[in-house]
């Protein structure tokens, strides 16, 4: 008599589990998987939202690669930003974490101060940096004038607009610094003590102990940083509008223009799928080479 009763209890528990999972599953289906599938179908159509979509096959993809110079411009701008902002952000965050790991008074306050900028609104941050970069009364040019150095055009210069946004990317390094700080505090002090006894300098300790022990976190922030750099939109949209002369025409910004400003939803969907393919390939490459430099401590 117990076995049927136990089976009934197990069936009820399974049913309860399915009911708890159902909201997530429906949300995933309606708001993620469904739109992704629809966007793939739309990428094969010519649709301006106002009329019925017309099937054109791979024409959108063919046009992107053969007849759209701005596609390559936006891709080049995004790649340059990635190559500049991601390594710079990792280096700055790691340096900040090393400083915050020192036993000094008021360390908790410093950690909070450096972390807070990473949680501020993107538009508010963009407006703040737009003021800092202002050619006439911005802080940066004011400092250059005080030092009797040539002033820069910053966001208004085709040469300096993209480097300005790369510099601005340092604003959010506090989040990564906190991650690195947690990793630093988990490194056994015995490793440093043994290395010091063997005569290893601080640089060698950093190179052969700190970096290997932090390599999983470095790998995490590298992957997430590259993915995030291909999604940069707010800074360019608010501060430069993609200019001057398309110097900050990021891929996500150009995709937005095609979808919202030009109403080329099919074309924008094709761009979105190409972006997915690029990010996927880069992520696979990173995972394939991670075994050569990422060290996972064995339990």
């Amino acid at each position: 008599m117990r076995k049927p009763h136990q089976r009934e209890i197990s069936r009820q528990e399974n049913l309860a589990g399915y009911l708890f999972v159902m909201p997530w599953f429906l949300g995933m289906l309606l708001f993620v998987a469904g739109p992704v599938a629809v966007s793939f179908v739309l990428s094969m159509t010519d649709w301006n939202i106002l009329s019925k979509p017309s099937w054109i096959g791979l024409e959108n993809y063919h046009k992107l690669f053969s007849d759209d110079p701005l596609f390559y411009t936006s891709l080049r701008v995004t790649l340059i930003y990635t190559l500049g902002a991601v390594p710079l952000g990792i280096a700055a965050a790691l340096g900040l974490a090393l400083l915050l790991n020192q036993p000094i008074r008021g360390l908790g306050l410093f950690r909070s101060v450096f972390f807070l900028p990473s949680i501020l609104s993107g538009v508010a941050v963009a407006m703040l940096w737009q003021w800092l970069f202002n050619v006439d009364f911005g802080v940066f040019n004011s400092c250059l004038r005080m030092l009797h150095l040539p002033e820069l055009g910053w966001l208004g210069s085709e040469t300096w607009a993209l480097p300005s946004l790369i510099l601005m990317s340092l604003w959010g390094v506090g989040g990564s610094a906190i991650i690195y700080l947690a990793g630093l505090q988990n490194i056994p002090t015995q490793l440093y003590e043994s290395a010091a006894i063997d005569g290893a300098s601080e640089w060698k300790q950093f190179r052969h102990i700190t970096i290997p022990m932090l390599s999983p976190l470095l790998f995490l922030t590298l992957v997430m940083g590259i993915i995030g750099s291909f999604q940069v939109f707010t800074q360019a949209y608010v501060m430069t509008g993609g200019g001057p002369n398309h110097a900050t025409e990021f891929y996500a910004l150009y995709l937005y223009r095609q979808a919202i400003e030009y109403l080329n939803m099919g074309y924008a969907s094709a761009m979105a799928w190409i972006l997915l393919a690029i990010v996927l390939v880069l992520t696979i490459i990173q995972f394939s080479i991670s075994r050569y430099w990422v060290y996972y401590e064995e339990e």
Side-chain angles (χ1 to χ4, degrees), residues 15-152:
L15 178 60
Y18 291 138
L19 290 175
F20 278 114
V21 171
M22 188 60 66
W24 175 89
F25 179 78
L26 291 176
M28 182 72 178
L29 184 64
L30 293 175
F31 301 111
V32 179
V36 167
V38 171
S39 71
F40 181 72
V41 175
L42 289 177
S43 71
M44 305 287 185
T45 66
D46 180 15
W47 185 41
N48 63 0
I49 303 180
L50 304 177
S51 60
K52 185 178 179 180
S54 58
W55 184 265
I56 59 175
L58 297 176
E59 183 61 31
N60 285 327
Y61 296 94
H62 179 268
K63 182 180 178 181
L64 274 169
F65 287 106
S66 63
D67 193 30
D68 189 353
L70 276 182
F71 166 74
Y72 290 102
T73 298
S74 65
L75 194 57
R76 177 181 58 82
V77 168
T78 305
L79 287 173
I80 293 174
Y81 179 86
T82 301
L83 293 173
V86 174
L88 183 62
I90 291 176
L94 181 56
L96 181 59
L98 292 171
L99 292 175
L100 294 177
N101 197 39
Q102 303 302 313
I104 59 176
R105 183 177 300 178
L107 193 56
L109 176 61
F110 285 113
R111 291 173 180 174
S112 301
V113 168
F114 283 110
F115 176 73
L116 282 176
S118 63
I119 64 175
L120 296 180
S121 167
V123 175
V125 172
M127 297 295 292
L128 171 63
W129 279 83
Q130 192 172 28
W131 170 72
L132 294 174
F133 284 129
N134 188 279
V135 177
D136 298 321
F137 52 82
V139 172
F140 293 134
N141 270 355
S142 297
C143 292
L144 291 176
R145 282 194 294 269
M146 291 175 59
L147 297 173
H148 303 287
L149 295 174
E151 299 179 23
L152 301 177

Side-chain angles (χ1 to χ4, degrees), residues 7-291:
R7 284 198 296 268
E8 181 65 25
I9 292 176
S10 178
R11 191 179 298 112
Q12 292 177 356
E13 290 177 346
N14 290 338
L15 178 60
Y18 291 138
L19 290 175
F20 278 114
V21 171
M22 188 60 66
W24 175 89
F25 179 78
L26 291 176
M28 182 72 178
L29 184 64
L30 293 175
F31 301 111
V32 179
V36 167
V38 171
S39 71
F40 181 72
V41 175
L42 289 177
S43 71
M44 305 287 185
T45 66
D46 180 15
W47 185 41
N48 63 0
I49 303 180
L50 304 177
S51 60
K52 185 178 179 180
S54 58
W55 184 265
I56 59 175
L58 297 176
E59 183 61 31
N60 285 327
Y61 296 94
H62 179 268
K63 182 180 178 181
L64 274 169
F65 287 106
S66 63
D67 193 30
D68 189 353
L70 276 182
F71 166 74
Y72 290 102
T73 298
S74 65
L75 194 57
R76 177 181 58 82
V77 168
T78 305
L79 287 173
I80 293 174
Y81 179 86
T82 301
L83 293 173
V86 174
L88 183 62
I90 291 176
L94 181 56
L96 181 59
L98 292 171
L99 292 175
L100 294 177
N101 197 39
Q102 303 302 313
I104 59 176
R105 183 177 300 178
L107 193 56
L109 176 61
F110 285 113
R111 291 173 180 174
S112 301
V113 168
F114 283 110
F115 176 73
L116 282 176
S118 63
I119 64 175
L120 296 180
S121 167
V123 175
V125 172
M127 297 295 292
L128 171 63
W129 279 83
Q130 192 172 28
W131 170 72
L132 294 174
F133 284 129
N134 188 279
V135 177
D136 298 321
F137 52 82
V139 172
F140 293 134
N141 270 355
S142 297
C143 292
L144 291 176
R145 282 194 294 269
M146 291 175 59
L147 297 173
H148 303 287
L149 295 174
E151 299 179 23
L152 301 177
W154 299 113
L155 299 176
S157 168
E158 186 175 346
T159 302
W160 286 99
L162 187 56
S164 298
L165 296 183
I166 292 175
L167 177 63
M168 177 186 168
S169 67
L170 293 175
W171 175 265
V173 299
S176 298
I178 295 300
I179 295 175
Y180 294 150
L181 179 61
L184 287 171
Q185 294 180 345
N186 284 328
I187 299 177
T189 57
Q190 297 90 333
L191 297 177
Y192 294 107
E193 293 171 356
S194 300
I197 292 173
D198 291 337
S201 63
E202 291 186 358
W203 166 249
K204 288 185 177 180
Q205 293 178 33
F206 174 77
R207 179 182 175 186
H208 297 291
I209 298 177
T210 306
I211 294 299
M213 296 298 288
L214 288 181
S215 58
L217 298 179
L218 292 170
F219 176 62
L220 169 66
T221 53
L222 176 63
V223 172
M224 299 305 296
I226 291 178
I227 293 174
S229 67
F230 275 86
Q231 299 174 337
V232 171
F233 169 79
T234 305
Q235 300 92 311
Y237 182 73
V238 173
M239 300 171 66
T240 65
N245 194 25
H246 303 293
T248 57
E249 190 76 47
F250 288 97
Y251 193 97
L253 178 59
Y254 186 49
L255 190 156
Y256 167 84
R257 292 191 191 283
Q258 290 292 341
I260 306 302
E261 294 184 8
Y262 309 145
L263 299 182
N264 294 329
M265 291 300 297
Y267 198 72
S269 297
M271 288 188 64
W273 276 92
I274 292 174
L275 176 60
L276 172 63
I278 292 173
V279 172
L280 181 61
V281 169
L282 291 176
T283 304
I284 291 174
I285 292 174
Q286 292 175 82
F287 271 92
S288 64
I289 65 177
S290 65
R291 63 178 181 270

